[in-house]
Amino acid sequence: MNEELKPCQCGSDVELCRGDDDYYIYCPKCKLKTFSDRVYDNITDNCDRLIEAWNGRIDDGRE
């Protein structure tokens, strides 16, 4: 995992968390949870692709 997570749309920092069966991104301020839409072959792929999807969401004007 070599990519930093962008903040949530509410402006808060988010966390990469481990669930029972997968990983998800969680915002402690607005309680948003984002899960991967599929499971990849290994943990690194799961996390990297989840972070890539999170950071690639619609641009809200923040860097």
Side-chain angles (χ1 to χ4, degrees):
M1 291 178 283
N2 55 8
E3 203 170 341
E4 189 172 323
L5 286 165
K6 289 184 179 179
C8 183
Q9 292 177 349
C10 74
S12 180
D13 288 335
V14 295
E15 304 167 2
L16 180 63
C17 302
R18 182 174 183 169
D20 292 336
D21 298 321
D22 57 3
Y23 287 82
Y24 60 93
I25 294 173
Y26 174 71
C27 175
K29 182 177 179 183
C30 71
K31 311 297 187 224
L32 176 72
K33 282 187 183 178
T34 302
F35 293 87
S36 178
D37 60 352
R38 67 178 280 208
V39 177
Y40 297 93
D41 292 336
N42 62 57
I43 291 171
T44 301
D45 281 349
N46 284 333
C47 292
D48 285 347
R49 292 182 190 237
L50 178 59
I51 291 169
E52 182 180 317
W54 173 264
N55 287 344
R57 68 193 190 281
I58 297 173
D59 184 11
D60 61 4
R62 296 188 192 116
E63 292 294 322

